[in-house]
Amino acid sequence: MFWEDNDNANPKPDATVDLHPQLVKQARKSGNLNLCNRGWTCVPDNVWKINILSNQELKSLSYSMDAAADDKWWDQVDLSRLNLANNQITKISHEIVNLAALQVLDIHDNQLTDLPDSMAVLTQLTKLDVSCNRLPKIPSCIYSLTELRVLLLQNNQLSEVDDDVRELGRLEELNLSTNNLHKLPNTIMSLSNIRRFNLSFNNLKEIPNGIGAMTALQILDLSNNKLSILPSEVGKLINLVQLYLRHNQLKKFPKLIACSQLKELYCGNNLIDSVSRADFEPIVNVKILELRDNSIASIPDGIVILSVLERLDLTNNHLIDLPPILGFMEHLSTLSLEGNSFKSVRRDIVKKGTSHLLKYLRSRFKEDPVLTVLTEKEPSSVEPITAPDTYQLDQFAIGRSKQLLFSNKQLKHIPDNVVETAIECQVLNIDLSKNLLQEIPPCLMKTFNWLRDLDFSHNRITSVPSFLSSASHLASLKLSSNCIETLPTEFSKLDNLREICIANNKFKQIPSCLYSLSKLEILMASDNQIKEIDVEGLSALTVLSVLDLNNNDICKVPPKLGNLTNLRSLQLDGNCFKLPRISILAKGTDAILTYLRDKIPAD
């Protein structure tokens, strides 16, 4: 099949641009060609003909069977991966038709306004990254790429999505964030295999009701739109793990009636004015709940049904009191409250941090907390499974919840049957906190192929083994309240780590290996002996949003820390620096960052 290039202006590379013969040879051998970040405005012609021998090559062919390995033209493989990212390319040639074996095409960060129709023949393509270009619409050829699993179109100028998007039925990840979308076609909801769907930073006022059919969804990001109401069918997404609703116009807490697997819910910067126990009942397994920058006036006692809640952000609401029963939520490690006007909780208690605040709330509790929790708590089909003292585990229940919660057993060693159960059930979450463990046992390595959350907080661990870095899917790691002084350099391999808690240990600096973790969003390092803030290292963490350095030995806060505007929560209390003053710290993160930026010397 051939396509005619009607404009007769097929892009030609600059005279100085050429593909080095060694690159050609390597690409033919490996099937991979990386040409990113070369400043090109167009692509050399021989890229599109990489697997076609030139006349000169045909003349010099060696047919000898003992020729050097690199000269064995019959051993070459078709190009399967092509990376042209971070250039200034304005057009992709129709001759891309010659690369029909491509499986991965990365052309993000260029100047593309369209793609050639001939790309429709790339029927083996499974990943296409066209993000950060200038596309005004989704090129029609993309709808013919029916084998696509990943399609990245963020940071373009898209104003609409065609009904033909339904043809991409095998998509598992779709990113349409940071565009100009005002509505979505109903057909997009037929993409039932999508697990990651990002629609943030658009102008959407509504989401089609059919979203309930996207039952494979695990991560849904609707942040920074104009949603005033969420369709009830969002509550039918039974596999949803993370839901982002920040910066919308929601007036009510979302009804998530069947979202029993939800672990993280972000509702900050909306217009929510109340929450109730009924709102929390369907999401009893949530670990992170963000309700900052709303208009919430009170928190119900029923919040205790969120028995595994670890982080609760209530910053900048209208709270004047807190329910004392919050003090008995044993997994709650971070409670953010700045920007409220409490009448019954003194500011100095709030500023001392979460552990002191929870202790104070417990002291205010007049009734029997255990009795209250038992009488208020209703049974749930997805309650986290905690092993009884006999260690006779309910393997069926653990396999269903994918969680092994084995905390507070006063154990020095992990029983063999506990590890065997974790392996057999392929659990995603292992909680071994509040024991007497002195090391992380190597036997857990057998769970690393699927493990996502690991909690070793409140033990007696003195060192962290390098083999932990092989847990490639790990998203959350908690090591707080141990005796750890450093982390192995191999931790830089934990590419999927989003949260790490090393609070209450013996660190004298933030481990440098963490600065390589491009997906790290949450870094909890309070109650250590950290003396300096490495702004250059922290600047490499481009998605870092929570940084807790409370109660360390920091004597100076670098003004350039104010440039980390991605931070939503910066905690610096309990250090020995004089500036910023306590009055600035009390105003919250935005005020701290603004103050620091104002102190940066002019060039």
Side-chain angles (χ1 to χ4, degrees):
M1 187 178 295
F2 298 93
W3 278 262
E4 182 179 357
D5 193 352
N6 295 324
D7 59 9
N8 293 319
N10 216 25
K12 297 294 181 182
D14 300 331
T16 57
V17 173
D18 195 12
L19 203 57
H20 194 280
Q22 188 61 32
L23 275 177
V24 174
K25 189 176 294 185
Q26 291 174 353
R28 289 174 175 174
K29 185 176 181 179
S30 67
N32 182 21
L33 182 58
N34 189 340
L35 301 173
C36 69
N37 200 27
R38 294 174 180 250
W40 288 350
T41 58
C42 49
V43 184
D45 284 342
N46 54 348
V47 169
W48 313 121
K49 302 173 183 178
I50 192 77
N51 288 116
I52 301 175
L53 297 179
S54 65
N55 291 333
Q56 183 178 357
E57 288 173 319
L58 288 170
K59 291 179 181 179
S60 60
L61 276 180
S62 171
Y63 293 92
S64 172
M65 296 301 294
D66 59 357
D70 287 347
D71 294 332
K72 292 181 179 179
W73 57 270
W74 54 85
D75 283 342
Q76 77 170 345
V77 296
D78 289 335
L79 196 67
S80 60
R81 302 175 67 94
L82 176 59
N83 188 344
L84 295 168
N86 296 102
N87 284 290
Q88 300 293 320
I89 299 168
T90 59
K91 189 173 183 180
I92 297 297
S93 171
H94 284 271
E95 290 190 273
I96 197 172
V97 68
N98 296 321
L99 305 180
L102 274 183
Q103 298 176 21
V104 177
L105 177 59
D106 188 346
I107 44 180
H108 79 267
D109 275 289
N110 279 289
Q111 304 293 322
L112 299 170
T113 57
D114 201 1
L115 295 175
D117 291 342
S118 59
M119 273 188 58
V121 303
L122 304 183
T123 55
Q124 297 185 47
L125 207 62
T126 59
K127 179 178 180 179
L128 176 60
D129 188 348
V130 204
S131 59
C132 301
N133 277 282
R134 299 181 177 180
L135 299 176
K137 63 178 183 178
I138 299 178
S140 58
C141 62
I142 289 181
Y143 298 128
S144 298
L145 306 177
T146 56
E147 292 297 316
L148 275 181
R149 302 304 198 272
V150 178
L151 177 57
L152 307 179
L153 288 162
Q154 66 267 31
N155 291 89
N156 276 283
Q157 300 170 15
L158 306 179
S159 58
E160 62 179 352
V161 179
D162 293 343
D163 286 340
D164 290 341
V165 71
R166 61 173 171 259
E167 303 298 329
L168 303 178
R170 297 195 177 188
L171 273 184
E172 297 177 3
E173 179 176 355
L174 176 58
N175 194 329
L176 294 169
S177 64
T178 318
N179 279 287
N180 298 317
L181 299 176
H182 288 79
K183 64 178 181 178
L184 296 172
N186 290 326
T187 55
I188 201 171
M189 300 306 160
S190 66
L191 303 180
S192 59
N193 289 311
I194 286 186
R195 292 182 293 143
R196 302 171 64 97
F197 193 12
N198 194 336
L199 288 163
S200 62
F201 290 92
N202 279 287
N203 294 300
L204 298 171
K205 294 183 178 180
E206 61 181 5
I207 301 296
N209 285 327
I211 193 171
M214 303 179 79
T215 54
L217 261 182
Q218 296 179 4
I219 301 176
L220 175 60
D221 194 342
L222 298 172
S223 301
N224 294 83
N225 278 283
K226 298 180 179 179
L227 302 173
S228 58
I229 190 171
L230 206 61
S232 59
E233 288 212 358
V234 170
K236 298 180 181 180
L237 300 175
I238 59 174
N239 290 304
L240 201 61
V241 176
Q242 299 170 23
L243 176 58
Y244 296 82
L245 299 171
R246 296 170 176 148
H247 291 277
N248 277 286
Q249 300 167 18
L250 299 175
K251 297 180 181 180
K252 300 294 182 182
F253 192 88
K255 301 297 182 183
L256 304 172
I257 56 174
C259 297
S260 59
Q261 300 300 315
L262 194 68
K263 299 294 188 298
E264 302 178 19
L265 175 58
Y266 301 89
C267 296
N269 298 90
N270 277 283
L271 304 173
I272 300 171
D273 57 8
S274 65
V275 288
S276 67
R277 176 191 171 91
D279 292 328
F280 300 142
E281 286 175 349
I283 56 171
V284 293
N285 284 322
V286 74
K287 292 185 174 183
I288 299 176
L289 177 58
E290 182 199 77
L291 293 168
R292 63 175 296 138
D293 293 283
N294 279 285
S295 302
I296 299 170
S298 64
I299 300 297
D301 288 346
I303 194 172
V304 295
I305 66 174
L306 304 181
S307 58
V308 294
L309 188 66
E310 297 174 0
R311 286 182 42 229
L312 176 60
D313 190 346
L314 296 168
T315 303
N316 297 332
N317 275 280
H318 297 164
L319 299 173
I320 59 174
D321 196 6
L322 290 171
I325 202 167
L326 268 177
F328 294 93
M329 298 184 71
E330 61 176 337
H331 289 93
L332 191 61
S333 59
T334 302
L335 178 57
S336 300
L337 296 168
E338 59 189 40
N340 285 283
S341 301
F342 294 110
K343 294 182 178 179
S344 60
V345 183
R346 299 198 312 270
R347 174 170 292 183
D348 63 306
I349 293 175
V350 174
K351 300 307 291 184
K352 286 182 179 179
T354 300
S355 60
H356 289 84
L357 178 58
L358 296 181
K359 182 178 180 180
Y360 167 78
L361 291 174
R362 287 193 295 273
S363 71
R364 287 178 50 195
F365 201 83
K366 303 301 182 183
E367 303 174 28
D368 182 354
V370 176
L371 178 62
T372 303
V373 173
L374 291 177
T375 55
E376 288 191 359
K377 196 170 184 178
E378 297 179 3
S380 170
S381 60
V382 291
E383 280 293 311
I385 307 302
T386 304
D389 293 337
T390 59
Y391 311 136
Q392 296 300 314
L393 305 179
D394 186 343
Q395 192 164 340
F396 173 78
I398 292 172
R400 180 184 60 190
S401 67
K402 296 297 181 182
Q403 299 183 85
L404 180 62
L405 304 188
F406 210 72
S407 65
N408 204 19
K409 303 296 179 185
Q410 301 300 305
L411 295 176
K412 294 184 178 180
H413 303 283
I414 303 174
D416 291 341
N417 71 310
V418 173
V419 178
E420 291 168 2
T421 300
I423 296 170
E424 188 167 345
C425 295
Q426 297 189 1
V427 295
L428 303 178
N429 177 13
I430 295 179
D431 183 353
L432 293 166
S433 63
K434 298 182 180 179
N435 281 293
L436 303 174
L437 301 172
Q438 296 183 3
E439 63 178 5
I440 297 176
C443 57
L444 287 181
M445 292 179 65
K446 295 181 180 179
T447 68
F448 286 0
N449 285 337
W450 50 81
L451 190 64
R452 295 185 182 177
D453 299 316
L454 183 58
D455 190 346
F456 271 100
S457 57
H458 295 275
N459 277 283
R460 298 179 178 178
I461 297 169
T462 57
S463 63
V464 180
S466 59
F467 66 71
L468 194 56
S469 64
S470 62
S472 58
H473 298 288
L474 202 63
S476 174
L477 176 62
K478 296 179 178 62
L479 299 169
S480 61
S481 299
N482 281 284
C483 302
I484 304 168
E485 297 183 6
T486 185
L487 296 178
T489 57
E490 290 84 356
F491 260 44
S492 59
K493 300 176 183 178
L494 293 173
D495 296 333
N496 289 304
L497 198 66
R498 298 179 57 247
E499 174 182 5
I500 186 167
C501 182
I502 56 173
N504 198 14
N505 277 284
K506 297 182 178 181
F507 290 93
K508 295 184 178 179
Q509 61 183 10
I510 297 176
S512 59
C513 58
L514 300 182
Y515 299 140
S516 300
L517 305 180
S518 60
K519 295 184 180 179
L520 192 66
E521 297 180 18
I522 302 166
L523 173 54
M524 313 295 290
S526 64
D527 297 280
N528 279 285
Q529 303 165 25
I530 296 171
K531 299 181 182 299
E532 296 181 352
I533 299 177
D534 183 353
V535 176
E536 183 177 355
L538 291 170
S539 298
L541 303 176
T542 55
V543 296
L544 186 69
S545 60
V546 177
L547 177 61
D548 187 348
L549 294 172
N550 280 345
N551 303 322
N552 276 285
D553 297 331
I554 299 169
C555 60
K556 183 179 180 180
V557 181
K560 289 187 178 180
L561 185 65
N563 289 330
L564 272 61
T565 54
N566 50 304
L567 286 176
R568 291 184 294 102
S569 177
L570 173 62
Q571 304 292 328
L572 295 171
D573 292 318
N575 285 282
C576 55
F577 57 79
K578 295 182 179 179
L579 297 174
R581 293 187 177 90
I582 295 178
S583 58
I584 298 295
L585 299 181
K587 294 180 180 179
T589 300
D590 291 341
I592 298 172
L593 296 177
T594 300
Y595 171 86
L596 291 172
R597 284 196 299 274
D598 290 343
K599 296 297 181 181
I600 298 176
D603 293 334

mmCIF file of all heavy atoms in Angstrom, residues 337-363:
data_model
loop_
_atom_site.group_PDB
_atom_site.id
_atom_site.type_symbol
_atom_site.label_atom_id
_atom_site.label_comp_id
_atom_site.label_asym_id
_atom_site.label_seq_id
_atom_site.Cartn_x
_atom_site.Cartn_y
_atom_site.Cartn_z
ATOM 1 N N LEU A 337 -3.409 20.164 59.399
ATOM 2 C CA LEU A 337 -4.533 20.975 59.887
ATOM 3 C C LEU A 337 -4.317 22.472 59.752
ATOM 4 O O LEU A 337 -5.172 23.256 60.168
ATOM 5 C CB LEU A 337 -4.780 20.656 61.374
ATOM 6 C CG LEU A 337 -5.212 19.219 61.697
ATOM 7 C CD1 LEU A 337 -5.137 18.975 63.195
ATOM 8 C CD2 LEU A 337 -6.613 18.955 61.179
ATOM 9 N N GLU A 338 -3.203 22.904 59.207
ATOM 10 C CA GLU A 338 -2.922 24.326 59.153
ATOM 11 C C GLU A 338 -4.001 25.062 58.363
ATOM 12 O O GLU A 338 -4.630 24.519 57.470
ATOM 13 C CB GLU A 338 -1.546 24.580 58.522
ATOM 14 C CG GLU A 338 -1.391 24.044 57.118
ATOM 15 C CD GLU A 338 0.044 24.123 56.614
ATOM 16 O OE1 GLU A 338 0.984 23.863 57.379
ATOM 17 O OE2 GLU A 338 0.206 24.425 55.420
ATOM 18 N N GLY A 339 -4.256 26.312 58.749
ATOM 19 C CA GLY A 339 -5.254 27.110 58.044
ATOM 20 C C GLY A 339 -6.672 26.938 58.551
ATOM 21 O O GLY A 339 -7.623 27.324 57.860
ATOM 22 N N ASN A 340 -6.857 26.336 59.734
ATOM 23 C CA ASN A 340 -8.176 26.251 60.351
ATOM 24 C C ASN A 340 -8.219 27.178 61.574
ATOM 25 O O ASN A 340 -7.196 27.718 61.991
ATOM 26 C CB ASN A 340 -8.484 24.807 60.764
ATOM 27 C CG ASN A 340 -8.825 23.938 59.567
ATOM 28 O OD1 ASN A 340 -9.927 23.994 59.034
ATOM 29 N ND2 ASN A 340 -7.863 23.130 59.133
ATOM 30 N N SER A 341 -9.386 27.363 62.138
ATOM 31 C CA SER A 341 -9.543 28.276 63.280
ATOM 32 C C SER A 341 -10.070 27.511 64.486
ATOM 33 O O SER A 341 -11.217 27.673 64.905
ATOM 34 C CB SER A 341 -10.496 29.424 62.913
ATOM 35 O OG SER A 341 -10.019 30.143 61.801
ATOM 36 N N PHE A 342 -9.225 26.650 65.032
ATOM 37 C CA PHE A 342 -9.653 25.810 66.151
ATOM 38 C C PHE A 342 -9.889 26.644 67.412
ATOM 39 O O PHE A 342 -9.117 27.548 67.728
ATOM 40 C CB PHE A 342 -8.603 24.730 66.435
ATOM 41 C CG PHE A 342 -8.467 23.734 65.338
ATOM 42 C CD1 PHE A 342 -7.332 23.699 64.535
ATOM 43 C CD2 PHE A 342 -9.475 22.822 65.086
ATOM 44 C CE1 PHE A 342 -7.206 22.784 63.516
ATOM 45 C CE2 PHE A 342 -9.362 21.896 64.064
ATOM 46 C CZ PHE A 342 -8.229 21.870 63.276
ATOM 47 N N LYS A 343 -10.952 26.284 68.114
ATOM 48 C CA LYS A 343 -11.252 26.939 69.396
ATOM 49 C C LYS A 343 -10.928 26.026 70.572
ATOM 50 O O LYS A 343 -10.610 26.500 71.659
ATOM 51 C CB LYS A 343 -12.728 27.342 69.441
ATOM 52 C CG LYS A 343 -13.085 28.429 68.433
ATOM 53 C CD LYS A 343 -14.553 28.831 68.566
ATOM 54 C CE LYS A 343 -14.903 29.955 67.578
ATOM 55 N NZ LYS A 343 -16.336 30.354 67.671
ATOM 56 N N SER A 344 -11.008 24.716 70.354
ATOM 57 C CA SER A 344 -10.793 23.780 71.453
ATOM 58 C C SER A 344 -9.422 23.119 71.423
ATOM 59 O O SER A 344 -9.099 22.365 72.327
ATOM 60 C CB SER A 344 -11.884 22.698 71.423
ATOM 61 O OG SER A 344 -11.837 21.995 70.197
ATOM 62 N N VAL A 345 -8.650 23.352 70.362
ATOM 63 C CA VAL A 345 -7.311 22.774 70.256
ATOM 64 C C VAL A 345 -6.321 23.926 70.128
ATOM 65 O O VAL A 345 -6.389 24.707 69.170
ATOM 66 C CB VAL A 345 -7.190 21.831 69.034
ATOM 67 C CG1 VAL A 345 -5.803 21.192 69.002
ATOM 68 C CG2 VAL A 345 -8.274 20.768 69.064
ATOM 69 N N ARG A 346 -5.427 24.049 71.080
ATOM 70 C CA ARG A 346 -4.467 25.148 71.051
ATOM 71 C C ARG A 346 -3.514 25.015 69.870
ATOM 72 O O ARG A 346 -3.131 23.913 69.468
ATOM 73 C CB ARG A 346 -3.652 25.178 72.352
ATOM 74 C CG ARG A 346 -4.479 25.378 73.600
ATOM 75 C CD ARG A 346 -3.589 25.825 74.767
ATOM 76 N NE ARG A 346 -2.404 25.013 74.894
ATOM 77 C CZ ARG A 346 -2.321 23.895 75.628
ATOM 78 N NH1 ARG A 346 -3.395 23.447 76.262
ATOM 79 N NH2 ARG A 346 -1.180 23.221 75.716
ATOM 80 N N ARG A 347 -3.102 26.168 69.344
ATOM 81 C CA ARG A 347 -2.223 26.187 68.174
ATOM 82 C C ARG A 347 -0.893 25.502 68.466
ATOM 83 O O ARG A 347 -0.332 24.812 67.607
ATOM 84 C CB ARG A 347 -1.983 27.625 67.712
ATOM 85 C CG ARG A 347 -0.963 27.731 66.577
ATOM 86 C CD ARG A 347 -0.925 29.109 65.977
ATOM 87 N NE ARG A 347 -2.176 29.408 65.268
ATOM 88 C CZ ARG A 347 -2.377 30.528 64.593
ATOM 89 N NH1 ARG A 347 -1.440 31.461 64.540
ATOM 90 N NH2 ARG A 347 -3.523 30.735 63.969
ATOM 91 N N ASP A 348 -0.370 25.677 69.690
ATOM 92 C CA ASP A 348 0.929 25.075 69.994
ATOM 93 C C ASP A 348 0.848 23.554 69.963
ATOM 94 O O ASP A 348 1.830 22.880 69.619
ATOM 95 C CB ASP A 348 1.439 25.554 71.355
ATOM 96 C CG ASP A 348 0.519 25.124 72.496
ATOM 97 O OD1 ASP A 348 -0.681 25.416 72.418
ATOM 98 O OD2 ASP A 348 1.026 24.504 73.453
ATOM 99 N N ILE A 349 -0.309 22.988 70.270
ATOM 100 C CA ILE A 349 -0.472 21.538 70.192
ATOM 101 C C ILE A 349 -0.500 21.094 68.735
ATOM 102 O O ILE A 349 0.122 20.092 68.357
ATOM 103 C CB ILE A 349 -1.766 21.113 70.914
ATOM 104 C CG1 ILE A 349 -1.624 21.368 72.412
ATOM 105 C CG2 ILE A 349 -2.072 19.637 70.650
ATOM 106 C CD1 ILE A 349 -2.888 21.095 73.205
ATOM 107 N N VAL A 350 -1.207 21.852 67.908
ATOM 108 C CA VAL A 350 -1.257 21.531 66.480
ATOM 109 C C VAL A 350 0.135 21.583 65.868
ATOM 110 O O VAL A 350 0.516 20.715 65.067
ATOM 111 C CB VAL A 350 -2.207 22.496 65.743
ATOM 112 C CG1 VAL A 350 -2.145 22.263 64.231
ATOM 113 C CG2 VAL A 350 -3.636 22.328 66.243
ATOM 114 N N LYS A 351 0.946 22.564 66.276
ATOM 115 C CA LYS A 351 2.255 22.759 65.679
ATOM 116 C C LYS A 351 3.278 21.708 66.112
ATOM 117 O O LYS A 351 4.323 21.563 65.496
ATOM 118 C CB LYS A 351 2.797 24.149 66.004
ATOM 119 C CG LYS A 351 1.937 25.298 65.516
ATOM 120 C CD LYS A 351 1.612 25.179 64.032
ATOM 121 C CE LYS A 351 2.830 25.381 63.159
ATOM 122 N NZ LYS A 351 2.486 25.347 61.718
ATOM 123 N N LYS A 352 2.982 20.971 67.169
ATOM 124 C CA LYS A 352 3.926 19.953 67.633
ATOM 125 C C LYS A 352 3.938 18.709 66.761
ATOM 126 O O LYS A 352 4.785 17.840 66.935
ATOM 127 C CB LYS A 352 3.613 19.577 69.083
ATOM 128 C CG LYS A 352 4.030 20.633 70.099
ATOM 129 C CD LYS A 352 3.720 20.173 71.516
ATOM 130 C CE LYS A 352 4.170 21.218 72.528
ATOM 131 N NZ LYS A 352 3.855 20.789 73.931
ATOM 132 N N GLY A 353 2.999 18.606 65.861
ATOM 133 C CA GLY A 353 2.998 17.471 64.957
ATOM 134 C C GLY A 353 1.922 16.448 65.280
ATOM 135 O O GLY A 353 1.229 16.510 66.304
ATOM 136 N N THR A 354 1.811 15.479 64.383
ATOM 137 C CA THR A 354 0.714 14.518 64.451
ATOM 138 C C THR A 354 0.718 13.686 65.721
ATOM 139 O O THR A 354 -0.317 13.517 66.372
ATOM 140 C CB THR A 354 0.765 13.581 63.221
ATOM 141 O OG1 THR A 354 0.632 14.377 62.034
ATOM 142 C CG2 THR A 354 -0.369 12.573 63.260
ATOM 143 N N SER A 355 1.871 13.143 66.113
ATOM 144 C CA SER A 355 1.900 12.243 67.268
ATOM 145 C C SER A 355 1.464 12.962 68.542
ATOM 146 O O SER A 355 0.702 12.415 69.353
ATOM 147 C CB SER A 355 3.297 11.645 67.442
ATOM 148 O OG SER A 355 4.264 12.662 67.636
ATOM 149 N N HIS A 356 1.930 14.210 68.735
ATOM 150 C CA HIS A 356 1.533 14.972 69.919
ATOM 151 C C HIS A 356 0.035 15.307 69.884
ATOM 152 O O HIS A 356 -0.654 15.260 70.905
ATOM 153 C CB HIS A 356 2.351 16.262 70.029
ATOM 154 C CG HIS A 356 3.778 16.039 70.402
ATOM 155 N ND1 HIS A 356 4.731 15.731 69.462
ATOM 156 C CD2 HIS A 356 4.405 16.060 71.610
ATOM 157 C CE1 HIS A 356 5.900 15.590 70.073
ATOM 158 N NE2 HIS A 356 5.733 15.775 71.361
ATOM 159 N N LEU A 357 -0.448 15.645 68.706
ATOM 160 C CA LEU A 357 -1.859 15.998 68.565
ATOM 161 C C LEU A 357 -2.763 14.804 68.865
ATOM 162 O O LEU A 357 -3.771 14.929 69.567
ATOM 163 C CB LEU A 357 -2.130 16.525 67.156
ATOM 164 C CG LEU A 357 -3.576 16.895 66.826
ATOM 165 C CD1 LEU A 357 -4.106 17.939 67.784
ATOM 166 C CD2 LEU A 357 -3.683 17.380 65.384
ATOM 167 N N LEU A 358 -2.393 13.634 68.336
ATOM 168 C CA LEU A 358 -3.203 12.449 68.590
ATOM 169 C C LEU A 358 -3.200 12.091 70.076
ATOM 170 O O LEU A 358 -4.225 11.664 70.625
ATOM 171 C CB LEU A 358 -2.702 11.276 67.745
ATOM 172 C CG LEU A 358 -2.825 11.448 66.213
ATOM 173 C CD1 LEU A 358 -2.323 10.207 65.497
ATOM 174 C CD2 LEU A 358 -4.253 11.764 65.804
ATOM 175 N N LYS A 359 -2.051 12.262 70.706
ATOM 176 C CA LYS A 359 -1.967 11.994 72.145
ATOM 177 C C LYS A 359 -2.892 12.933 72.916
ATOM 178 O O LYS A 359 -3.590 12.525 73.856
ATOM 179 C CB LYS A 359 -0.526 12.151 72.614
ATOM 180 C CG LYS A 359 -0.319 11.847 74.084
ATOM 181 C CD LYS A 359 1.156 11.982 74.452
ATOM 182 C CE LYS A 359 1.365 11.686 75.942
ATOM 183 N NZ LYS A 359 2.815 11.823 76.312
ATOM 184 N N TYR A 360 -2.917 14.196 72.508
ATOM 185 C CA TYR A 360 -3.795 15.173 73.157
ATOM 186 C C TYR A 360 -5.264 14.791 72.963
ATOM 187 O O TYR A 360 -6.064 14.853 73.910
ATOM 188 C CB TYR A 360 -3.531 16.558 72.581
ATOM 189 C CG TYR A 360 -4.573 17.581 72.954
ATOM 190 C CD1 TYR A 360 -4.584 18.171 74.215
ATOM 191 C CD2 TYR A 360 -5.560 17.945 72.039
ATOM 192 C CE1 TYR A 360 -5.551 19.098 74.563
ATOM 193 C CE2 TYR A 360 -6.531 18.871 72.371
ATOM 194 C CZ TYR A 360 -6.523 19.444 73.638
ATOM 195 O OH TYR A 360 -7.488 20.356 73.973
ATOM 196 N N LEU A 361 -5.620 14.370 71.738
ATOM 197 C CA LEU A 361 -7.009 13.996 71.483
ATOM 198 C C LEU A 361 -7.407 12.782 72.321
ATOM 199 O O LEU A 361 -8.542 12.708 72.816
ATOM 200 C CB LEU A 361 -7.203 13.701 69.991
ATOM 201 C CG LEU A 361 -7.109 14.910 69.052
ATOM 202 C CD1 LEU A 361 -7.160 14.477 67.598
ATOM 203 C CD2 LEU A 361 -8.215 15.920 69.337
ATOM 204 N N ARG A 362 -6.483 11.835 72.473
ATOM 205 C CA ARG A 362 -6.796 10.677 73.314
ATOM 206 C C ARG A 362 -7.074 11.100 74.761
ATOM 207 O O ARG A 362 -7.938 10.547 75.433
ATOM 208 C CB ARG A 362 -5.652 9.664 73.273
ATOM 209 C CG ARG A 362 -5.555 8.898 71.969
ATOM 210 C CD ARG A 362 -4.634 7.699 72.089
ATOM 211 N NE ARG A 362 -3.252 8.067 72.351
ATOM 212 C CZ ARG A 362 -2.354 8.346 71.415
ATOM 213 N NH1 ARG A 362 -2.714 8.288 70.129
ATOM 214 N NH2 ARG A 362 -1.117 8.661 71.729
ATOM 215 N N SER A 363 -6.327 12.110 75.222
ATOM 216 C CA SER A 363 -6.516 12.562 76.606
ATOM 217 C C SER A 363 -7.879 13.217 76.809
ATOM 218 O O SER A 363 -8.379 13.288 77.934
ATOM 219 C CB SER A 363 -5.411 13.549 76.994
ATOM 220 O OG SER A 363 -5.574 14.795 76.327
#
